[in-house]
Amino acid sequence: MPMPDLLIVGAGAAGLMAAGAACEKGARVALLEHNPKGPGQKILITGKGRCNLTNHCDVPTFLTMVRHNPRFLYSALYAFPPDAAMELFERLGVPLKTERGRRVFPQSDRAADVLEALRRYAAGAQLLQGSAKRLLIEDGRCAGVRTADGRELRAGAVLVATGGVSYPGTGSDGSGYKLARQAGHTVTPPQPSLCSLVSPDPACREMMGLSLRNVALTLLEDGRPVFREQGEALFTHFGLSGPLVLSASTWIGDFARHEYVCEFDLKPALDEKTLYDRLTRDFALLGGHSAQGALDKLLPRSMRPVAVKKWGVDPAARAAQITKAQKQALVTLCKHWQVPVSGLGDLQHAVITAGGVACGQVDPKTMESKLCPGLYFAGEVLDVDARTGGYNLQIAWATAQAAARAAG
């Protein structure tokens, strides 16, 4: 193959999208991927294996869901908005559907279908195995990369699309940050985003493995609600996880300045009076049972002993002896089960890496480095991240398309 017009380092979501877009424009493209399992491994685990590939909203709405540097994405998103991404994937043979919260999925519910479509889109690119260790910078311009095995791969332009540092087994090992620093770029330290939460509450460990379904989670910041959503959550040995918790994590700020509490409504379909009446009927039917035994129809098995402790009732007390005030206290516990939060989960298992290449040093229209001509960035390697709902993959698509238009 002659020297490519564009060498893309990293064949993930952004890399494959950029390769396809550049090939469509007639550019000669090479893709360098170091994961022996092949391109796009992280795509396969997104959306619990279903791949929430974008969010069907307009650009102004989209930008409100971007946590860091939303203004940087203005040009890229208007040039390639969610509608354009949906149209492209439909054209590539992936029928789509829109679910709650405007989340867009393949109708098949298979992330593998999205990956296969991207691989077909990028089929005109030459796929190379290896990892980029250094940029080749000549006369102040990026002219290619040197690989770990000593090869020099030269190109008209280089696009770094290596992702962040989350789930390194998929290939996201932070190598793009080293390349960016070599060219003089500032890298905002990576932080976990869309991640589990750490709690000092020993009850979490007691209920480890318990999955709560159809509960409502409210995240309280200094007692003030900042997030509320209904869905699933999971108790772990270190705290909380599950889809609801990952969504809530993006609303957490500085632990040094604020106190955070996850408050669960275990019975969101029932108001307090209806729940009180239900407890009254249950306790009448189970009058001879212990207080804990009387919770049989109310709470999961592993939650009952913890609930009795939090409730403050003598476990040996009979259901028939439970007073009105104690029933009301149980209603309050079920509607406002609080779990204090002391930190974010580990970075390696976060869905998204916050932080990355400083956006002020990158042209927002072309994704080209302002410090080193011929060097481009796209996707998670940049210091942009958003809340859950397909926004982060759309950022990858839009920044990749911008880079491909300019570099390819």
Side-chain angles (χ1 to χ4, degrees):
M1 179 182 179
M3 185 179 83
D5 302 305
L6 176 62
L7 171 63
I8 301 172
V9 183
L16 288 168
M17 177 62 77
C23 286
E24 271 195 329
K25 291 170 173 51
R28 295 188 300 271
V29 181
L31 265 171
L32 181 64
E33 172 58 46
H34 69 178
N35 191 333
K37 295 179 182 177
Q41 293 303 302
K42 193 174 180 184
I43 292 172
L44 296 175
I45 63 173
T46 60
K48 297 172 72 174
R50 297 173 61 215
C51 191
N52 178 192
L53 57 89
T54 190
N55 190 281
H56 196 192
C57 65
D58 58 23
V59 173
T61 301
F62 190 104
L63 291 171
T64 66
M65 303 304 286
V66 179
R67 298 180 66 211
H68 297 111
N69 301 307
R71 290 172 61 87
F72 173 79
L73 295 169
Y74 187 91
S75 295
L77 282 171
Y78 270 103
F80 193 78
D83 279 344
M86 294 172 68
E87 182 181 339
L88 174 61
F89 279 103
E90 293 267 8
R91 175 163 64 86
L92 293 173
V94 184
L96 303 176
K97 59 181 177 179
T98 303
E99 297 186 357
R100 179 178 58 85
R102 307 181 304 269
R103 292 168 166 87
V104 179
F105 294 88
Q107 287 184 13
S108 65
D109 286 328
R110 284 171 39 88
D113 291 348
V114 176
L115 176 55
E116 282 306 308
L118 284 169
R119 294 185 73 160
R120 289 195 299 272
Y121 188 45
Q126 182 183 24
L127 183 61
L128 306 173
Q129 178 70 37
S131 56
K133 285 301 180 185
R134 290 193 64 79
L135 298 174
L136 298 176
I137 300 177
E138 299 172 352
D139 299 323
R141 181 178 181 85
C142 187
V145 302
R146 180 175 288 110
T147 65
D149 58 7
R151 288 175 292 164
E152 283 194 356
L153 303 178
R154 293 183 172 271
V158 172
L159 169 60
V160 175
T162 50
V165 290
S166 305
Y167 287 97
T170 63
S172 301
D173 61 358
S175 57
Y177 303 147
K178 296 176 183 176
L179 299 176
R181 289 191 184 100
Q182 184 198 339
H185 281 272
T186 302
V187 175
T188 303
Q191 297 288 329
S193 183
L194 291 177
C195 59
S196 54
L197 296 174
V198 177
S199 173
D201 188 350
C204 292
R205 181 177 287 273
E206 292 180 53
M207 296 184 290
M208 177 176 63
L210 171 62
S211 178
L212 299 176
R213 299 177 182 274
N214 298 318
V215 297
L217 169 59
T218 301
L219 179 69
L220 303 174
E221 181 185 75
D222 300 328
R224 179 178 61 89
V226 294
F227 165 88
R228 179 180 170 84
E229 197 168 290
Q230 191 166 325
E232 299 178 21
L234 174 70
F235 288 101
T236 71
H237 65 285
F238 57 79
L240 298 166
S241 191
L244 274 181
V245 175
L246 267 58
S247 297
S249 71
T250 65
W251 294 84
I252 286 181
D254 187 352
F255 281 99
R257 297 174 55 200
H258 303 287
E259 290 186 357
Y260 292 95
V261 172
C262 283
E263 182 176 277
F264 290 98
D265 182 348
L266 303 176
K267 303 293 177 182
L270 306 177
D271 60 29
E272 293 203 4
K273 182 181 184 306
T274 304
L275 182 54
Y276 180 90
D277 292 342
R278 174 183 160 177
L279 288 176
T280 300
R281 290 193 300 272
D282 286 352
F283 287 1
L285 287 171
L286 302 170
H289 287 65
S290 67
Q292 182 171 317
L295 303 182
D296 183 46
K297 296 181 179 180
L298 182 69
L299 298 173
R301 181 184 301 276
S302 60
M303 201 173 209
R304 293 171 209 159
V306 176
V308 170
K309 290 179 192 174
K310 289 181 177 287
W311 186 15
V313 170
D314 182 355
R318 298 292 140 190
Q321 300 172 322
I322 301 300
T323 66
K324 291 181 179 179
Q326 288 171 328
K327 281 187 286 185
Q328 187 57 54
L330 181 56
V331 167
T332 301
L333 177 64
C334 290
K335 300 291 284 184
H336 304 276
W337 184 292
Q338 294 197 340
V339 180
V341 177
S342 56
L344 299 175
D346 69 273
L347 182 56
Q348 287 192 341
H349 294 96
V351 176
I352 293 295
T353 304
V357 177
C359 292
Q361 298 169 345
V362 178
D363 186 321
K365 292 183 179 179
T366 64
M367 300 299 139
E368 186 174 19
S369 166
K370 294 179 180 179
L371 309 181
C372 182
L375 176 63
Y376 295 77
F377 299 97
E380 199 176 346
V381 72
L382 289 160
D383 184 16
V384 283
D385 65 283
R387 306 194 192 282
T388 185
Y391 303 101
N392 289 288
L393 272 178
Q394 177 61 37
I395 290 171
W397 312 142
T399 54
Q401 285 276 342
R405 283 191 299 272

